[in-house]
Amino acid sequence: MPISFDLTPEQRELQGLASKFAREEMTPRAAECDRTGRFPEEVYRRAWELGLMNLNVPAEYGGSGLPLLDQCLITEELASACGGMTTSILANCLALQPINLGGSPEQRERFLKPFCSEYRLASFALTEPGGGSDAGALKTRAIREGDSYLLTGQKCFITNAPQASLYTVFATVDPEKKHAGITAFVVPRETPGVSLGREEDKLGQRASSTATVTLERARVPLQNRLGGEGEGFKLAMATLDSTRTPIGALAVGIARAALEHASRYALQRSSFGVPIAQHQAIATKLGTMVQELEASRLLTWLSAWMVDQGKRATLESSVAKCYASDSAMHICDEAIQIFGGYGYMRDYPVEKLLRDAKLCQIYEGANEIQRLVIAREYLRRFS
Ligand code: CAA
């Protein structure tokens, strides 16, 4: 198939739908939710009604079943209005992807369909208080007892945990086996032994919710195990191979908003008798910001395209996530600089963008881990 950067009429329509939703439903609430940390459930319900959630769930289970590239187009539009809300909207894709990839047809039917017939949230529970980057060393135990497993441990920084009705939990059946002991389970929220910790008070992305989930001998039936014992680590990695790309798109959306704000400001603010955009000091900043934004978008599109072609995109998804989030931080920082003192004030929109962008360098694998993955994947070509 020839390479084309033209979007189809259907893709433009999706982009338009997401952009309208972002403008009308998200933007008006973004500053208030950022200030108060309110979880705007009405926005998420509306996103669900419009088919802007569960984007990766196949149409046969009632989801949007969209190619990853289309998911990225939507994500960029949403994130240009609010990074935090976008994270909460995307969290279902992350939590449901292990079921998409590793669930049996019966499990997909049982777990995915309810998310598409009514508004519900799910959370991906991999990270633990003792460590996030070294996912292979997780400590949550899964002890087999007859036809079920007893899960005991703690998961932290779990997006949407307070509102989720289901968690995809990674636990080990044998810590000695390290990665080869890790197993994935679907844990309904109402399972006795599942409890929630306090909601985190975050620097940015404050419209999304984040909490700890504790499992205390939570009994999960064998039918809720995804794949076999020991297959959970690879399932988590394969999940992240596809979900890191939309994080790149999320960072692009935040960065685009910062660049647009900065550009408008630079054209209307004057100093030394001319709009500041005419000063080379500002124009060269804008020139670099545009380059970084364009490159970030193309890297996310490439990575999404690879996934859509059924190719493994471990390297490309890490490149997209890492480059786009580092660029977003730089673009937001420069946007604040262009706004000067106003940029530092909460009355102006750019300081929120910087705080929101920061999380993109940390979650779904810190950028230090992305660089490690990229180097490993690249070096493999020489061995
Ligand atoms: N696909 C399939 N298999 C993979 C894989 C992939 N992408 N990556 C690794 N594997 C396999 C390896 O081939 C290896 O298999 P064998 O044992 O059969 O040889 C096995 O998994 C172990 O791999 P490694 O030796 O590479 O594992 P490692 O421990 O050295 O490093 C890591 C792995 C890349 C550092 C990994 O731990 C990692 O990605 N850490 C970051 C975790 C992360 O991203 N967490 C995010 C949590 S979710 C979140 O933040 C989101 C939110 O709430 C919004």
Side-chain angles (χ1 to χ4, degrees), residues 105-129:
E106 182 278 323
Q107 287 174 322
R108 284 196 220 122
E109 182 89 13
R110 184 154 50 98
F111 296 125
L112 299 180
K113 268 198 167 166
F115 280 83
C116 302
S117 58
E118 62 176 7
Y119 164 79
R120 283 171 183 237
L121 298 177
S123 300
F124 181 80
L126 175 67
T127 304
E128 301 188 350

mmCIF file with all atom_site columns, all heavy atoms in Angstrom, residues 105-129:
data_model
loop_
_atom_site.group_PDB
_atom_site.id
_atom_site.type_symbol
_atom_site.label_atom_id
_atom_site.label_alt_id
_atom_site.label_comp_id
_atom_site.label_asym_id
_atom_site.label_entity_id
_atom_site.label_seq_id
_atom_site.pdbx_PDB_ins_code
_atom_site.Cartn_x
_atom_site.Cartn_y
_atom_site.Cartn_z
_atom_site.occupancy
_atom_site.B_iso_or_equiv
_atom_site.pdbx_formal_charge
_atom_site.auth_seq_id
_atom_site.auth_comp_id
_atom_site.auth_asym_id
_atom_site.auth_atom_id
_atom_site.pdbx_PDB_model_num
ATOM 1   N N   . PRO A 1 105 ? -12.518 -15.907 23.555 1.00 0.00 ? 105 PRO A N   1
ATOM 2   C CA  . PRO A 1 105 ? -13.756 -15.310 23.008 1.00 0.00 ? 105 PRO A CA  1
ATOM 3   C C   . PRO A 1 105 ? -14.826 -15.164 24.101 1.00 0.00 ? 105 PRO A C   1
ATOM 4   O O   . PRO A 1 105 ? -15.508 -14.135 24.164 1.00 0.00 ? 105 PRO A O   1
ATOM 5   C CB  . PRO A 1 105 ? -14.175 -16.311 21.934 1.00 0.00 ? 105 PRO A CB  1
ATOM 6   C CG  . PRO A 1 105 ? -12.882 -16.948 21.508 1.00 0.00 ? 105 PRO A CG  1
ATOM 7   C CD  . PRO A 1 105 ? -12.023 -17.013 22.739 1.00 0.00 ? 105 PRO A CD  1
ATOM 8   N N   . GLU A 1 106 ? -14.903 -16.152 24.983 1.00 0.00 ? 106 GLU A N   1
ATOM 9   C CA  . GLU A 1 106 ? -15.912 -16.072 26.065 1.00 0.00 ? 106 GLU A CA  1
ATOM 10  C C   . GLU A 1 106 ? -15.609 -14.916 27.002 1.00 0.00 ? 106 GLU A C   1
ATOM 11  O O   . GLU A 1 106 ? -16.514 -14.167 27.404 1.00 0.00 ? 106 GLU A O   1
ATOM 12  C CB  . GLU A 1 106 ? -15.929 -17.420 26.820 1.00 0.00 ? 106 GLU A CB  1
ATOM 13  C CG  . GLU A 1 106 ? -16.960 -17.534 27.949 1.00 0.00 ? 106 GLU A CG  1
ATOM 14  C CD  . GLU A 1 106 ? -16.513 -16.901 29.276 1.00 0.00 ? 106 GLU A CD  1
ATOM 15  O OE1 . GLU A 1 106 ? -15.307 -16.980 29.630 1.00 0.00 ? 106 GLU A OE1 1
ATOM 16  O OE2 . GLU A 1 106 ? -17.384 -16.318 29.954 1.00 0.00 ? 106 GLU A OE2 1
ATOM 17  N N   . GLN A 1 107 ? -14.337 -14.718 27.329 1.00 0.00 ? 107 GLN A N   1
ATOM 18  C CA  . GLN A 1 107 ? -13.957 -13.619 28.237 1.00 0.00 ? 107 GLN A CA  1
ATOM 19  C C   . GLN A 1 107 ? -14.194 -12.257 27.578 1.00 0.00 ? 107 GLN A C   1
ATOM 20  O O   . GLN A 1 107 ? -14.663 -11.318 28.216 1.00 0.00 ? 107 GLN A O   1
ATOM 21  C CB  . GLN A 1 107 ? -12.487 -13.746 28.649 1.00 0.00 ? 107 GLN A CB  1
ATOM 22  C CG  . GLN A 1 107 ? -12.253 -14.876 29.634 1.00 0.00 ? 107 GLN A CG  1
ATOM 23  C CD  . GLN A 1 107 ? -10.780 -15.089 29.912 1.00 0.00 ? 107 GLN A CD  1
ATOM 24  O OE1 . GLN A 1 107 ? -9.941  -14.973 29.009 1.00 0.00 ? 107 GLN A OE1 1
ATOM 25  N NE2 . GLN A 1 107 ? -10.442 -15.420 31.142 1.00 0.00 ? 107 GLN A NE2 1
ATOM 26  N N   . ARG A 1 108 ? -13.901 -12.188 26.293 1.00 0.00 ? 108 ARG A N   1
ATOM 27  C CA  . ARG A 1 108 ? -14.117 -10.905 25.601 1.00 0.00 ? 108 ARG A CA  1
ATOM 28  C C   . ARG A 1 108 ? -15.598 -10.554 25.611 1.00 0.00 ? 108 ARG A C   1
ATOM 29  O O   . ARG A 1 108 ? -15.988 -9.420  25.859 1.00 0.00 ? 108 ARG A O   1
ATOM 30  C CB  . ARG A 1 108 ? -13.611 -10.983 24.165 1.00 0.00 ? 108 ARG A CB  1
ATOM 31  C CG  . ARG A 1 108 ? -12.120 -10.914 24.120 1.00 0.00 ? 108 ARG A CG  1
ATOM 32  C CD  . ARG A 1 108 ? -11.647 -10.607 22.702 1.00 0.00 ? 108 ARG A CD  1
ATOM 33  N NE  . ARG A 1 108 ? -10.475 -11.410 22.462 1.00 0.00 ? 108 ARG A NE  1
ATOM 34  C CZ  . ARG A 1 108 ? -10.312 -12.287 21.498 1.00 0.00 ? 108 ARG A CZ  1
ATOM 35  N NH1 . ARG A 1 108 ? -11.267 -12.487 20.616 1.00 0.00 ? 108 ARG A NH1 1
ATOM 36  N NH2 . ARG A 1 108 ? -9.213  -12.969 21.383 1.00 0.00 ? 108 ARG A NH2 1
ATOM 37  N N   . GLU A 1 109 ? -16.401 -11.574 25.346 1.00 0.00 ? 109 GLU A N   1
ATOM 38  C CA  . GLU A 1 109 ? -17.856 -11.377 25.350 1.00 0.00 ? 109 GLU A CA  1
ATOM 39  C C   . GLU A 1 109 ? -18.311 -10.912 26.744 1.00 0.00 ? 109 GLU A C   1
ATOM 40  O O   . GLU A 1 109 ? -19.052 -9.952  26.889 1.00 0.00 ? 109 GLU A O   1
ATOM 41  C CB  . GLU A 1 109 ? -18.487 -12.738 25.002 1.00 0.00 ? 109 GLU A CB  1
ATOM 42  C CG  . GLU A 1 109 ? -19.979 -12.765 24.900 1.00 0.00 ? 109 GLU A CG  1
ATOM 43  C CD  . GLU A 1 109 ? -20.460 -12.450 23.497 1.00 0.00 ? 109 GLU A CD  1
ATOM 44  O OE1 . GLU A 1 109 ? -19.638 -12.443 22.559 1.00 0.00 ? 109 GLU A OE1 1
ATOM 45  O OE2 . GLU A 1 109 ? -21.658 -12.161 23.375 1.00 0.00 ? 109 GLU A OE2 1
ATOM 46  N N   . ARG A 1 110 ? -17.823 -11.598 27.765 1.00 0.00 ? 110 ARG A N   1
ATOM 47  C CA  . ARG A 1 110 ? -18.278 -11.346 29.140 1.00 0.00 ? 110 ARG A CA  1
ATOM 48  C C   . ARG A 1 110 ? -17.786 -9.992  29.674 1.00 0.00 ? 110 ARG A C   1
ATOM 49  O O   . ARG A 1 110 ? -18.515 -9.282  30.339 1.00 0.00 ? 110 ARG A O   1
ATOM 50  C CB  . ARG A 1 110 ? -17.761 -12.495 30.041 1.00 0.00 ? 110 ARG A CB  1
ATOM 51  C CG  . ARG A 1 110 ? -18.204 -12.460 31.484 1.00 0.00 ? 110 ARG A CG  1
ATOM 52  C CD  . ARG A 1 110 ? -18.203 -13.870 32.085 1.00 0.00 ? 110 ARG A CD  1
ATOM 53  N NE  . ARG A 1 110 ? -16.974 -14.592 31.860 1.00 0.00 ? 110 ARG A NE  1
ATOM 54  C CZ  . ARG A 1 110 ? -15.964 -14.716 32.735 1.00 0.00 ? 110 ARG A CZ  1
ATOM 55  N NH1 . ARG A 1 110 ? -16.060 -14.127 33.914 1.00 0.00 ? 110 ARG A NH1 1
ATOM 56  N NH2 . ARG A 1 110 ? -14.887 -15.412 32.449 1.00 0.00 ? 110 ARG A NH2 1
ATOM 57  N N   . PHE A 1 111 ? -16.535 -9.657  29.367 1.00 0.00 ? 111 PHE A N   1
ATOM 58  C CA  . PHE A 1 111 ? -15.973 -8.444  29.978 1.00 0.00 ? 111 PHE A CA  1
ATOM 59  C C   . PHE A 1 111 ? -16.090 -7.187  29.101 1.00 0.00 ? 111 PHE A C   1
ATOM 60  O O   . PHE A 1 111 ? -16.238 -6.092  29.634 1.00 0.00 ? 111 PHE A O   1
ATOM 61  C CB  . PHE A 1 111 ? -14.496 -8.658  30.340 1.00 0.00 ? 111 PHE A CB  1
ATOM 62  C CG  . PHE A 1 111 ? -14.300 -9.712  31.389 1.00 0.00 ? 111 PHE A CG  1
ATOM 63  C CD1 . PHE A 1 111 ? -13.454 -10.787 31.162 1.00 0.00 ? 111 PHE A CD1 1
ATOM 64  C CD2 . PHE A 1 111 ? -14.965 -9.635  32.602 1.00 0.00 ? 111 PHE A CD2 1
ATOM 65  C CE1 . PHE A 1 111 ? -13.267 -11.765 32.136 1.00 0.00 ? 111 PHE A CE1 1
ATOM 66  C CE2 . PHE A 1 111 ? -14.786 -10.612 33.579 1.00 0.00 ? 111 PHE A CE2 1
ATOM 67  C CZ  . PHE A 1 111 ? -13.937 -11.676 33.346 1.00 0.00 ? 111 PHE A CZ  1
ATOM 68  N N   . LEU A 1 112 ? -15.988 -7.358  27.796 1.00 0.00 ? 112 LEU A N   1
ATOM 69  C CA  . LEU A 1 112 ? -15.957 -6.149  26.950 1.00 0.00 ? 112 LEU A CA  1
ATOM 70  C C   . LEU A 1 112 ? -17.353 -5.601  26.681 1.00 0.00 ? 112 LEU A C   1
ATOM 71  O O   . LEU A 1 112 ? -17.570 -4.388  26.672 1.00 0.00 ? 112 LEU A O   1
ATOM 72  C CB  . LEU A 1 112 ? -15.258 -6.442  25.620 1.00 0.00 ? 112 LEU A CB  1
ATOM 73  C CG  . LEU A 1 112 ? -13.788 -6.882  25.713 1.00 0.00 ? 112 LEU A CG  1
ATOM 74  C CD1 . LEU A 1 112 ? -13.217 -7.152  24.323 1.00 0.00 ? 112 LEU A CD1 1
ATOM 75  C CD2 . LEU A 1 112 ? -12.944 -5.816  26.416 1.00 0.00 ? 112 LEU A CD2 1
ATOM 76  N N   . LYS A 1 113 ? -18.296 -6.526  26.453 1.00 0.00 ? 113 LYS A N   1
ATOM 77  C CA  . LYS A 1 113 ? -19.639 -6.061  26.053 1.00 0.00 ? 113 LYS A CA  1
ATOM 78  C C   . LYS A 1 113 ? -20.276 -5.086  27.038 1.00 0.00 ? 113 LYS A C   1
ATOM 79  O O   . LYS A 1 113 ? -20.826 -4.068  26.617 1.00 0.00 ? 113 LYS A O   1
ATOM 80  C CB  . LYS A 1 113 ? -20.558 -7.260  25.809 1.00 0.00 ? 113 LYS A CB  1
ATOM 81  C CG  . LYS A 1 113 ? -20.560 -7.701  24.364 1.00 0.00 ? 113 LYS A CG  1
ATOM 82  C CD  . LYS A 1 113 ? -21.757 -8.566  24.061 1.00 0.00 ? 113 LYS A CD  1
ATOM 83  C CE  . LYS A 1 113 ? -21.892 -8.715  22.549 1.00 0.00 ? 113 LYS A CE  1
ATOM 84  N NZ  . LYS A 1 113 ? -22.808 -9.779  22.200 1.00 0.00 ? 113 LYS A NZ  1
ATOM 85  N N   . PRO A 1 114 ? -20.212 -5.368  28.348 1.00 0.00 ? 114 PRO A N   1
ATOM 86  C CA  . PRO A 1 114 ? -20.863 -4.442  29.286 1.00 0.00 ? 114 PRO A CA  1
ATOM 87  C C   . PRO A 1 114 ? -20.326 -3.015  29.184 1.00 0.00 ? 114 PRO A C   1
ATOM 88  O O   . PRO A 1 114 ? -21.048 -2.053  29.435 1.00 0.00 ? 114 PRO A O   1
ATOM 89  C CB  . PRO A 1 114 ? -20.527 -5.038  30.664 1.00 0.00 ? 114 PRO A CB  1
ATOM 90  C CG  . PRO A 1 114 ? -20.261 -6.470  30.396 1.00 0.00 ? 114 PRO A CG  1
ATOM 91  C CD  . PRO A 1 114 ? -19.657 -6.537  29.035 1.00 0.00 ? 114 PRO A CD  1
ATOM 92  N N   . PHE A 1 115 ? -19.050 -2.880  28.784 1.00 0.00 ? 115 PHE A N   1
ATOM 93  C CA  . PHE A 1 115 ? -18.479 -1.532  28.665 1.00 0.00 ? 115 PHE A CA  1
ATOM 94  C C   . PHE A 1 115 ? -19.040 -0.771  27.472 1.00 0.00 ? 115 PHE A C   1
ATOM 95  O O   . PHE A 1 115 ? -18.961 0.453   27.423 1.00 0.00 ? 115 PHE A O   1
ATOM 96  C CB  . PHE A 1 115 ? -16.946 -1.624  28.557 1.00 0.00 ? 115 PHE A CB  1
ATOM 97  C CG  . PHE A 1 115 ? -16.321 -1.825  29.900 1.00 0.00 ? 115 PHE A CG  1
ATOM 98  C CD1 . PHE A 1 115 ? -16.232 -3.092  30.450 1.00 0.00 ? 115 PHE A CD1 1
ATOM 99  C CD2 . PHE A 1 115 ? -15.878 -0.744  30.638 1.00 0.00 ? 115 PHE A CD2 1
ATOM 100 C CE1 . PHE A 1 115 ? -15.712 -3.287  31.714 1.00 0.00 ? 115 PHE A CE1 1
ATOM 101 C CE2 . PHE A 1 115 ? -15.354 -0.926  31.898 1.00 0.00 ? 115 PHE A CE2 1
ATOM 102 C CZ  . PHE A 1 115 ? -15.273 -2.204  32.445 1.00 0.00 ? 115 PHE A CZ  1
ATOM 103 N N   . CYS A 1 116 ? -19.577 -1.552  26.544 1.00 0.00 ? 116 CYS A N   1
ATOM 104 C CA  . CYS A 1 116 ? -20.094 -0.897  25.345 1.00 0.00 ? 116 CYS A CA  1
ATOM 105 C C   . CYS A 1 116 ? -21.615 -0.740  25.414 1.00 0.00 ? 116 CYS A C   1
ATOM 106 O O   . CYS A 1 116 ? -22.183 0.058   24.668 1.00 0.00 ? 116 CYS A O   1
ATOM 107 C CB  . CYS A 1 116 ? -19.681 -1.695  24.116 1.00 0.00 ? 116 CYS A CB  1
ATOM 108 S SG  . CYS A 1 116 ? -17.894 -1.852  24.036 1.00 0.00 ? 116 CYS A SG  1
ATOM 109 N N   . SER A 1 117 ? -22.265 -1.488  26.311 1.00 0.00 ? 117 SER A N   1
ATOM 110 C CA  . SER A 1 117 ? -23.721 -1.326  26.401 1.00 0.00 ? 117 SER A CA  1
ATOM 111 C C   . SER A 1 117 ? -24.101 -0.266  27.438 1.00 0.00 ? 117 SER A C   1
ATOM 112 O O   . SER A 1 117 ? -25.222 0.217   27.439 1.00 0.00 ? 117 SER A O   1
ATOM 113 C CB  . SER A 1 117 ? -24.396 -2.662  26.713 1.00 0.00 ? 117 SER A CB  1
ATOM 114 O OG  . SER A 1 117 ? -23.885 -3.182  27.908 1.00 0.00 ? 117 SER A OG  1
ATOM 115 N N   . GLU A 1 118 ? -23.186 0.055   28.335 1.00 0.00 ? 118 GLU A N   1
ATOM 116 C CA  . GLU A 1 118 ? -23.446 1.173   29.242 1.00 0.00 ? 118 GLU A CA  1
ATOM 117 C C   . GLU A 1 118 ? -22.112 1.816   29.649 1.00 0.00 ? 118 GLU A C   1
ATOM 118 O O   . GLU A 1 118 ? -21.056 1.223   29.487 1.00 0.00 ? 118 GLU A O   1
ATOM 119 C CB  . GLU A 1 118 ? -24.223 0.728   30.488 1.00 0.00 ? 118 GLU A CB  1
ATOM 120 C CG  . GLU A 1 118 ? -23.477 -0.276  31.318 1.00 0.00 ? 118 GLU A CG  1
ATOM 121 C CD  . GLU A 1 118 ? -24.212 -0.637  32.609 1.00 0.00 ? 118 GLU A CD  1
ATOM 122 O OE1 . GLU A 1 118 ? -25.357 -0.212  32.808 1.00 0.00 ? 118 GLU A OE1 1
ATOM 123 O OE2 . GLU A 1 118 ? -23.596 -1.360  33.421 1.00 0.00 ? 118 GLU A OE2 1
ATOM 124 N N   . TYR A 1 119 ? -22.214 3.030   30.197 1.00 0.00 ? 119 TYR A N   1
ATOM 125 C CA  . TYR A 1 119 ? -21.011 3.750   30.619 1.00 0.00 ? 119 TYR A CA  1
ATOM 126 C C   . TYR A 1 119 ? -20.395 3.069   31.841 1.00 0.00 ? 119 TYR A C   1
ATOM 127 O O   . TYR A 1 119 ? -21.064 2.888   32.864 1.00 0.00 ? 119 TYR A O   1
ATOM 128 C CB  . TYR A 1 119 ? -21.381 5.200   30.959 1.00 0.00 ? 119 TYR A CB  1
ATOM 129 C CG  . TYR A 1 119 ? -20.325 5.940   31.750 1.00 0.00 ? 119 TYR A CG  1
ATOM 130 C CD1 . TYR A 1 119 ? -19.205 6.468   31.130 1.00 0.00 ? 119 TYR A CD1 1
ATOM 131 C CD2 . TYR A 1 119 ? -20.457 6.098   33.128 1.00 0.00 ? 119 TYR A CD2 1
ATOM 132 C CE1 . TYR A 1 119 ? -18.234 7.142   31.852 1.00 0.00 ? 119 TYR A CE1 1
ATOM 133 C CE2 . TYR A 1 119 ? -19.484 6.774   33.862 1.00 0.00 ? 119 TYR A CE2 1
ATOM 134 C CZ  . TYR A 1 119 ? -18.380 7.289   33.217 1.00 0.00 ? 119 TYR A CZ  1
ATOM 135 O OH  . TYR A 1 119 ? -17.421 7.946   33.932 1.00 0.00 ? 119 TYR A OH  1
ATOM 136 N N   . ARG A 1 120 ? -19.177 2.655   31.718 1.00 0.00 ? 120 ARG A N   1
ATOM 137 C CA  . ARG A 1 120 ? -18.427 2.046   32.821 1.00 0.00 ? 120 ARG A CA  1
ATOM 138 C C   . ARG A 1 120 ? -16.964 2.385   32.651 1.00 0.00 ? 120 ARG A C   1
ATOM 139 O O   . ARG A 1 120 ? -16.510 2.568   31.530 1.00 0.00 ? 120 ARG A O   1
ATOM 140 C CB  . ARG A 1 120 ? -18.486 0.507   32.735 1.00 0.00 ? 120 ARG A CB  1
ATOM 141 C CG  . ARG A 1 120 ? -19.741 -0.127  33.186 1.00 0.00 ? 120 ARG A CG  1
ATOM 142 C CD  . ARG A 1 120 ? -19.646 -1.593  32.800 1.00 0.00 ? 120 ARG A CD  1
ATOM 143 N NE  . ARG A 1 120 ? -20.869 -2.284  33.154 1.00 0.00 ? 120 ARG A NE  1
ATOM 144 C CZ  . ARG A 1 120 ? -20.926 -3.336  33.953 1.00 0.00 ? 120 ARG A CZ  1
ATOM 145 N NH1 . ARG A 1 120 ? -19.802 -3.838  34.459 1.00 0.00 ? 120 ARG A NH1 1
ATOM 146 N NH2 . ARG A 1 120 ? -22.052 -3.930  34.225 1.00 0.00 ? 120 ARG A NH2 1
ATOM 147 N N   . LEU A 1 121 ? -16.238 2.335   33.763 1.00 0.00 ? 121 LEU A N   1
ATOM 148 C CA  . LEU A 1 121 ? -14.797 2.585   33.689 1.00 0.00 ? 121 LEU A CA  1
ATOM 149 C C   . LEU A 1 121 ? -14.020 1.367   34.164 1.00 0.00 ? 121 LEU A C   1
ATOM 150 O O   . LEU A 1 121 ? -14.507 0.605   35.016 1.00 0.00 ? 121 LEU A O   1
ATOM 151 C CB  . LEU A 1 121 ? -14.428 3.813   34.530 1.00 0.00 ? 121 LEU A CB  1
ATOM 152 C CG  . LEU A 1 121 ? -15.071 5.128   34.089 1.00 0.00 ? 121 LEU A CG  1
ATOM 153 C CD1 . LEU A 1 121 ? -14.700 6.250   35.042 1.00 0.00 ? 121 LEU A CD1 1
ATOM 154 C CD2 . LEU A 1 121 ? -14.673 5.506   32.667 1.00 0.00 ? 121 LEU A CD2 1
ATOM 155 N N   . ALA A 1 122 ? -12.835 1.209   33.610 1.00 0.00 ? 122 ALA A N   1
ATOM 156 C CA  . ALA A 1 122 ? -11.948 0.109   34.009 1.00 0.00 ? 122 ALA A CA  1
ATOM 157 C C   . ALA A 1 122 ? -10.550 0.676   34.238 1.00 0.00 ? 122 ALA A C   1
ATOM 158 O O   . ALA A 1 122 ? -10.218 1.742   33.713 1.00 0.00 ? 122 ALA A O   1
ATOM 159 C CB  . ALA A 1 122 ? -11.900 -0.945  32.913 1.00 0.00 ? 122 ALA A CB  1
ATOM 160 N N   . SER A 1 123 ? -9.759  -0.020  35.027 1.00 0.00 ? 123 SER A N   1
ATOM 161 C CA  . SER A 1 123 ? -8.388  0.441   35.308 1.00 0.00 ? 123 SER A CA  1
ATOM 162 C C   . SER A 1 123 ? -7.376  -0.669  35.069 1.00 0.00 ? 123 SER A C   1
ATOM 163 O O   . SER A 1 123 ? -7.660  -1.852  35.308 1.00 0.00 ? 123 SER A O   1
ATOM 164 C CB  . SER A 1 123 ? -8.244  0.885   36.770 1.00 0.00 ? 123 SER A CB  1
ATOM 165 O OG  . SER A 1 123 ? -9.108  1.930   37.072 1.00 0.00 ? 123 SER A OG  1
ATOM 166 N N   . PHE A 1 124 ? -6.200  -0.251  34.659 1.00 0.00 ? 124 PHE A N   1
ATOM 167 C CA  . PHE A 1 124 ? -5.066  -1.143  34.403 1.00 0.00 ? 124 PHE A CA  1
ATOM 168 C C   . PHE A 1 124 ? -4.191  -1.107  35.649 1.00 0.00 ? 124 PHE A C   1
ATOM 169 O O   . PHE A 1 124 ? -3.677  -0.046  36.019 1.00 0.00 ? 124 PHE A O   1
ATOM 170 C CB  . PHE A 1 124 ? -4.318  -0.588  33.193 1.00 0.00 ? 124 PHE A CB  1
ATOM 171 C CG  . PHE A 1 124 ? -3.121  -1.364  32.726 1.00 0.00 ? 124 PHE A CG  1
ATOM 172 C CD1 . PHE A 1 124 ? -3.256  -2.497  31.934 1.00 0.00 ? 124 PHE A CD1 1
ATOM 173 C CD2 . PHE A 1 124 ? -1.833  -0.918  33.021 1.00 0.00 ? 124 PHE A CD2 1
ATOM 174 C CE1 . PHE A 1 124 ? -2.135  -3.178  31.451 1.00 0.00 ? 124 PHE A CE1 1
ATOM 175 C CE2 . PHE A 1 124 ? -0.709  -1.595  32.545 1.00 0.00 ? 124 PHE A CE2 1
ATOM 176 C CZ  . PHE A 1 124 ? -0.871  -2.724  31.760 1.00 0.00 ? 124 PHE A CZ  1
ATOM 177 N N   . ALA A 1 125 ? -4.022  -2.246  36.302 1.00 0.00 ? 125 ALA A N   1
ATOM 178 C CA  . ALA A 1 125 ? -3.324  -2.247  37.592 1.00 0.00 ? 125 ALA A CA  1
ATOM 179 C C   . ALA A 1 125 ? -2.046  -3.082  37.515 1.00 0.00 ? 125 ALA A C   1
ATOM 180 O O   . ALA A 1 125 ? -2.045  -4.290  37.758 1.00 0.00 ? 125 ALA A O   1
ATOM 181 C CB  . ALA A 1 125 ? -4.261  -2.772  38.687 1.00 0.00 ? 125 ALA A CB  1
ATOM 182 N N   . LEU A 1 126 ? -0.957  -2.396  37.151 1.00 0.00 ? 126 LEU A N   1
ATOM 183 C CA  . LEU A 1 126 ? 0.350   -3.053  37.035 1.00 0.00 ? 126 LEU A CA  1
ATOM 184 C C   . LEU A 1 126 ? 1.312   -2.498  38.095 1.00 0.00 ? 126 LEU A C   1
ATOM 185 O O   . LEU A 1 126 ? 1.953   -3.256  38.835 1.00 0.00 ? 126 LEU A O   1
ATOM 186 C CB  . LEU A 1 126 ? 0.918   -2.797  35.624 1.00 0.00 ? 126 LEU A CB  1
ATOM 187 C CG  . LEU A 1 126 ? 2.324   -3.298  35.312 1.00 0.00 ? 126 LEU A CG  1
ATOM 188 C CD1 . LEU A 1 126 ? 2.367   -4.826  35.303 1.00 0.00 ? 126 LEU A CD1 1
ATOM 189 C CD2 . LEU A 1 126 ? 2.807   -2.776  33.950 1.00 0.00 ? 126 LEU A CD2 1
ATOM 190 N N   . THR A 1 127 ? 1.380   -1.164  38.187 1.00 0.00 ? 127 THR A N   1
ATOM 191 C CA  . THR A 1 127 ? 2.360   -0.502  39.055 1.00 0.00 ? 127 THR A CA  1
ATOM 192 C C   . THR A 1 127 ? 2.111   -0.789  40.534 1.00 0.00 ? 127 THR A C   1
ATOM 193 O O   . THR A 1 127 ? 0.967   -0.884  40.975 1.00 0.00 ? 127 THR A O   1
ATOM 194 C CB  . THR A 1 127 ? 2.297   1.018   38.802 1.00 0.00 ? 127 THR A CB  1
ATOM 195 O OG1 . THR A 1 127 ? 2.503   1.234   37.409 1.00 0.00 ? 127 THR A OG1 1
ATOM 196 C CG2 . THR A 1 127 ? 3.343   1.781   39.589 1.00 0.00 ? 127 THR A CG2 1
ATOM 197 N N   . GLU A 1 128 ? 3.206   -0.895  41.284 1.00 0.00 ? 128 GLU A N   1
ATOM 198 C CA  . GLU A 1 128 ? 3.111   -1.145  42.734 1.00 0.00 ? 128 GLU A CA  1
ATOM 199 C C   . GLU A 1 128 ? 3.951   -0.105  43.491 1.00 0.00 ? 128 GLU A C   1
ATOM 200 O O   . GLU A 1 128 ? 4.890   0.464   42.921 1.00 0.00 ? 128 GLU A O   1
ATOM 201 C CB  . GLU A 1 128 ? 3.617   -2.553  43.053 1.00 0.00 ? 128 GLU A CB  1
ATOM 202 C CG  . GLU A 1 128 ? 2.806   -3.605  42.308 1.00 0.00 ? 128 GLU A CG  1
ATOM 203 C CD  . GLU A 1 128 ? 3.135   -5.025  42.734 1.00 0.00 ? 128 GLU A CD  1
ATOM 204 O OE1 . GLU A 1 128 ? 4.122   -5.229  43.471 1.00 0.00 ? 128 GLU A OE1 1
ATOM 205 O OE2 . GLU A 1 128 ? 2.376   -5.921  42.329 1.00 0.00 ? 128 GLU A OE2 1
ATOM 206 N N   . PRO A 1 129 ? 3.636   0.084   44.777 1.00 0.00 ? 129 PRO A N   1
ATOM 207 C CA  . PRO A 1 129 ? 4.377   1.096   45.546 1.00 0.00 ? 129 PRO A CA  1
ATOM 208 C C   . PRO A 1 129 ? 5.884   0.826   45.554 1.00 0.00 ? 129 PRO A C   1
ATOM 209 O O   . PRO A 1 129 ? 6.678   1.748   45.539 1.00 0.00 ? 129 PRO A O   1
ATOM 210 C CB  . PRO A 1 129 ? 3.797   0.985   46.961 1.00 0.00 ? 129 PRO A CB  1
ATOM 211 C CG  . PRO A 1 129 ? 2.460   0.349   46.789 1.00 0.00 ? 129 PRO A CG  1
ATOM 212 C CD  . PRO A 1 129 ? 2.548   -0.523  45.564 1.00 0.00 ? 129 PRO A CD  1
#
